[in-house]
Amino acid sequence: MALTDRRRVNGPALPTSIPFYDTPAPAPTVSRSPTELRKIFLKTSLTPPASGSAFYELTPPSTLKLTTSVYGPRPLPPSAGFSPTARVTAELKFAPFSTRGERRGYVRDGLERELSLQLQIAISGMVRASAYPKSGIDVFVTVLDCEGRIEEMIGVDAAEGEGERASLGAMQVLTGAITCASTAIADAGIECVDLVAAGMAALVEAKDGKDMVVMDPSPLDGWQVRAAVLVGYMAARDEITLVWSRGEVGVEEFTGVMESAVEVATKVRGVVNDAVRERLVALLKARGKKEGKKAITEDVEMTG
Amino acid sequence: MPRHKTDLSAESYDYDDDYEEDDGMTEDDRRQMKAALKQVRQTIGGDIPGVTDADIEETLWYYYFDVEKAVSYILKKHTKASKPKPAPKPKQVVVAGPAPKKDDVGQGFGYGFGARTAVEAGYFLDAPWGNVPTERLGCLIEQLPPVKMGLVGGSGGPKTSKLAALAKARKEKKLAEASGAAEPTGGKPLGVTKERPSISLLSRLSHKSSASSVASTSPSPTPEPSAGRVTPILTTNTNINDKDKTPIGSPKRLQDLDQPRSPVVEEEKCDLKAFKEDLALKAVPSSFATSMFGSRLEFEARFLWADTKTFDILTGKEAAKVQQGFSGPSPDDVVETAQKGMGGAKAKADKNGQADGKGSRDSGAKTAPSPPPSPKLPKAKIDVLKAYGESSEKDHVNFVVVGHVDAGKSTLMGRILYDTGAVDERTLQKFRKEAEQIGKGSFALAWVLDQTHEERSRGVTVDVAVNKFETEKTVFTILDAPGHKDFVPNMIAGAARADFAILVIDASTGAFEAGFHLRGQTKEHTLLIRSMGVHRVIVAVNKLDSVGWDGARFEEIKQQMAQFLSNAGFNEKDIAFVPCSGLEGINVIKKPEEGVIPWYTGPTLLEELDITTKYARPVDKPLRLTVSDIFKGGAQNQPTVYGRIDSGYLQEGDVLLSVPNKEQVTVKSIVINDEPRPWAVAGHNVNLQISGFDELHLRAGDLLCHPTSPLQPLKCFQLKLLAFETLTPMAVDIHRGHLHAPGRISGLLQTYDKSNGTVTKKKPRHVAAGNLASVMVELVAGAAIPVEAGMKIVLRSNGQTVAAGIIEK
């Protein structure tokens, strides 16, 4: 047992048999209306040692689940050199068990690298980096469960079919990661100019052969996705921090899809606000009890 | 260092690139500039004074060679004479937001980077630091909320990108249609998806680059940029909250968007209830989340570990109080000032020192060689005298074995050690074998004590060998002294540590006589041990087996020795005679078999040893420890000194003073007969592990004492002695234990009558052998030796012991 790797989440010690279902998986069906968004459960302060943390999940039948922990602002290591502003780094990691059917390796792969980069771009705009010179803010996102199959997730260049749908899964992970990370940063008490919420919309081929825009598409919905657009959106400032699109789309169509994505992000923002506020309210209540309600009546600005 | 080829090519490419960027103009640009300048000059003619080529060029560059625009700008600017000359474009520093990924969005999304590089290189070159002319100062313009309009060009003629043009066309088309605000319920077919007639996202995205233009062209009042700071927007915007209720594209929404917002979004009191109602997307936790959060699903006070992270906004008094905290000097300042002050004082002192020179040097000398801190052992002091009185340990007795050379001293002692079990059979077998190999089979027992190669090959003892054995009552330490006349000094050293002596006599024919007469060592040793203060002597008549256990021989030796010993000053009751054979082990430990020694009924040698009166130790006298050996410390073990405590006592942690070098050493531990002890008293042969001494300054013969009762080393002393030879004022060697030093008898004071001690003659010319006398002894070589009144000294000359005595003063 001395050789057990304790640094990682290890698999079961004993072999387990893979469940085998002889009934074929039901064909994906579209059960939602194209404008209906899935509900989100978002909650802060899951990880005690982190400065801030959040948990994000979509309601079943969607399975996306991820956690974010934020460490910082903390001093940069000497090797990092001088930085007059805070350095925001983001790392997105898939848990080995996060994908259906096949375990993922521990080693960081291309997809994780790409998603990490996008995440960093999306969230670094919301932090008031100038308030934290010589500091680092490290954001770690762990994907606990995701939708779609992993080996096809990277197939972004495929024009249609599985490949495109699979890439939708990767984008959806990033959507959740941005929203969750933004919440966790706010939970860490880091000064922000606004909060980022992410939204996604896709251009799909309807049954009648026409294109239509679907908000918050899921890879499980079975759409024939032509293109998908993800935006990181700061609603209070009306600013976009990230646009990520996949597939082939014309300019006019692109605009429409992006508008929809922003709309989704705006709605998601309500959940983010509530999640951030939740702890603060509890905190103020606790202090109000302690200090005879003094704290709550005082002019305390609420972030959101 | 030779560079890699690809590196070189890459670098050269970079240089080219940089060059063009720095210059800002390509060759083509310059050509165009020239032509455009000509055109402008022609157009405006000479009627406007004060228009320099540089002005025109700058304007042209700004409008990128659009002659028409440039002319209109220049005319507009220069005809308004009252206005100060503005820069072609107000310098602005736009707070940079994160740029979207260019590749993803496409060029048309226009976060124009060019517009942000407000200050050209060298713009501030001639400006003094901290005093930049106000007209040159840039102003930090706050990030404005976007105005939902199309791309705003620089002047009348729109020059938009293809994308923006498309977007604009689309916008206009939609406005013209002015369709109803009904939102589609199903999927949105493209083109009808957006009811919002206002803006495209493309234009929204581009608001940053055009922010400044917006500021100047916006019809609504612009926020004051003078504050030059960006207030972070931390409050909830009503618009967002309302979004879910308000259909997108409704007039309200439009109105909201079109109103330029203050950078500080109006703060809204947090109405939590109202907000919660809007949370259409909020979900209940799944079973997984419930298990993840457990009882923490509802926030409770005890889970709010980040309590410290909330900040109160201080008002009025509190703020003033906080402010007050910074009114005084900071702790760092205090320290710095103090350090400065100290430095100043030091400098002053140095100055003073230089003034009177000597004083400063004195103080330096005083402070520089700080005494090495003596290690402190925090052990409590023991009352050694009390502990000694209470201790029930076996008596420690040292005895010296003396006798003529080849009397069998070492063999006899080897026999004792072997028979008491101190040496095992195997070792002795080994010695036997080795001794037989070099033809000295009878020496096997002696080899137990004679351990050096020289001693074994020559068959004689050279140095005092120390060993120990135990009986039921006593722990004996054997000091096996050499019998050879060449090593008498070593024998003196051994005798100095002894409580009593075993005088071994070779009973074989002629051997006794050789030792006893004709300057044999039997006599010399006897006199020496007597003069070293040994009172009791056991005469072991050895090798009686060689004369067939002849009782008459024993009697003969006993008679002669008894007379000699009583002459030498031994009491008759302190003398014992034991017949024995060391080689055969008869009457040493074991009783002889019946009939071997029919004429002897007394005790064996060991029994005789055990009949020892408890020796009175001068425990209460000041500590005197004569060092007989020093082992230098290694990497692991402490340096050790070996010696006998003559008087007094010591314990662990004591600080001792070495004489004559006056070095202070600390006792780390005390070992007596291989057992660690917390204390030791007079009579013990001890191993002291010590620290804090320089090996060069301590050597055998030195003396350790307590610093409170130090011994004053003497250079000249009066000695009451017994002369073995005729003494005249002459050169002698002074011996005391391991200590020996050259000296001389400087004066003969008086002789005494042996029987009653009365002075017989003052200032004699010489002292005859066998007489008592008082003499003055001086040391020849300068250094004093660690002796004091009451110590026993041996004087030798030309390899012979000439006298022994006690220091009187």
Side-chain angles (χ1 to χ4, degrees), chain B residues 378-416:
Chain B
K379 280 181 185 168
K381 288 282 176 194
I382 312 164
D383 187 349
V384 176
L385 289 179
K386 198 178 162 199
Y388 175 61
E390 286 170 358
S391 72
S392 57
E393 65 173 29
K394 288 180 180 175
D395 203 10
H396 281 259
V397 176
N398 312 310
F399 65 88
V400 66
V401 189
V402 295
H404 192 63
V405 65
D406 284 342
K409 299 182 290 295
S410 296
T411 304
L412 187 63
M413 291 306 108
R415 169 61 65 186
I416 289 176

Side-chain angles (χ1 to χ4, degrees), chain B residues 572-588:
Chain B
E572 207 168 317
K573 64 176 173 60
D574 289 332
I575 306 165
F577 291 87
V578 179
C580 62
S581 168
L583 193 64
E584 293 182 6
I586 294 168
N587 207 31
V588 178

Side-chain angles (χ1 to χ4, degrees), chain A residues 43 51 193 238 253 277, chain B residues 148 190 233 272 297 309:
Chain A
K43 196 166 176 66
S51 313
V193 294
D238 197 11
E253 294 165 322
R277 182 179 291 120
Chain B
K148 306 298 177 183
L190 205 86
I233 300 162
L272 297 170
L297 210 54
K309 272 188 238 145

Side-chain angles (χ1 to χ4, degrees), chain B residues 396 640-643 645 650 652 667-680 684-689:
Chain B
H396 281 259
T640 307
V641 298
Y642 180 73
I645 302 175
L650 63 88
E652 280 182 357
V667 180
K668 288 296 218 187
S669 67
I670 301 167
V671 177
I672 301 170
N673 291 331
D674 301 332
E675 286 166 25
R677 298 288 184 87
W679 49 265
H684 284 146
N685 284 312
V686 292
N687 270 311
L688 300 181
Q689 285 203 337

Side-chain angles (χ1 to χ4, degrees), chain A:
Chain A
M1 288 308 282
L3 293 172
T4 310
D5 188 349
R6 297 185 201 189
R7 276 181 273 185
R8 301 190 175 91
V9 181
N10 288 299
L14 295 169
T16 54
S17 55
I18 302 163
F20 181 74
Y21 307 101
D22 53 354
T23 52
T29 50
V30 182
S31 54
R32 276 189 296 141
S33 105
T35 49
E36 191 189 335
L37 309 184
R38 285 168 294 176
K39 289 192 174 185
I40 297 164
F41 174 70
L42 186 58
K43 196 166 176 66
T44 61
S45 308
L46 175 65
T47 319
S51 313
S53 57
F55 173 80
Y56 173 103
E57 72 171 9
L58 293 174
T59 44
S62 289
T63 50
L64 182 66
K65 289 178 190 66
L66 38 88
T67 66
T68 307
S69 42
V70 174
Y71 293 85
R74 53 186 180 187
L76 281 171
S79 58
F82 175 76
S83 168
T85 59
R87 273 188 201 172
V88 182
T89 62
E91 193 177 320
L92 187 141
K93 196 90 190 97
F94 286 96
F97 46 81
S98 63
T99 45
R100 294 290 155 103
E102 194 173 321
R103 282 174 71 83
R104 278 184 66 91
Y106 295 110
V107 184
R108 211 171 171 210
D109 63 11
L111 178 68
E112 282 174 353
R113 252 193 293 279
E114 164 139 34
L115 293 183
S116 299
L117 183 68
Q118 302 281 18
L119 177 62
Q120 187 183 339
I121 292 168
I123 60 172
S124 55
M126 68 176 257
V127 177
R128 256 194 86 203
S130 60
Y132 305 103
K134 298 185 275 184
S135 315
I137 296 167
D138 303 321
V139 178
F140 299 96
V141 177
T142 307
V143 182
L144 300 172
D145 201 353
C146 53
E147 292 180 281
R149 294 176 64 188
I150 187 59
E151 72 269 21
E152 288 156 11
M153 271 195 158
I154 314 163
V156 287
D157 290 330
E160 52 189 358
E162 278 294 302
E164 205 44 69
R165 201 194 298 165
S167 82
L168 209 58
M171 292 178 87
Q172 184 169 299
V173 165
L174 183 60
T175 312
I178 292 171
T179 305
C180 190
S182 144
T183 311
I185 287 173
D187 186 47
I190 292 164
E191 271 192 55
C192 301
V193 294
D194 198 354
L195 294 178
V196 180
M200 184 169 55
L203 187 67
V204 302
E205 203 175 314
K207 275 171 191 165
D208 54 0
K210 283 183 182 173
D211 289 340
M212 67 171 185
V213 176
V214 175
M215 292 164 124
D216 191 22
S218 165
L220 302 179
D221 284 346
W223 295 106
Q224 293 290 319
V225 180
R226 272 187 55 209
V229 176
L230 184 160
V231 293
Y233 182 63
M234 297 199 288
R237 285 169 79 89
D238 197 11
E239 272 183 31
I240 285 171
T241 58
L242 176 81
V243 179
W244 193 27
S245 67
R246 289 289 160 107
E248 284 186 16
V249 64
V251 173
E252 282 292 305
E253 294 165 322
F254 180 82
T255 314
V257 179
M258 202 156 93
E259 290 268 351
S260 297
V262 167
E263 202 183 319
V264 174
T266 313
K267 284 183 176 170
V268 170
R269 174 62 184 273
V271 181
V272 172
N273 279 4
D274 185 64
V276 171
R277 182 179 291 120
E278 197 180 6
R279 203 189 80 183
L280 199 58
V281 168
L283 201 65
L284 290 172
K285 268 184 192 164
R287 289 180 68 185
K289 266 182 207 165
K290 225 191 286 173
E291 297 166 21
K293 288 185 180 176
K294 186 185 153 207
I296 222 158
T297 52
E298 255 177 31
D299 268 347
V300 177
E301 288 191 29
M302 302 293 295
T303 63

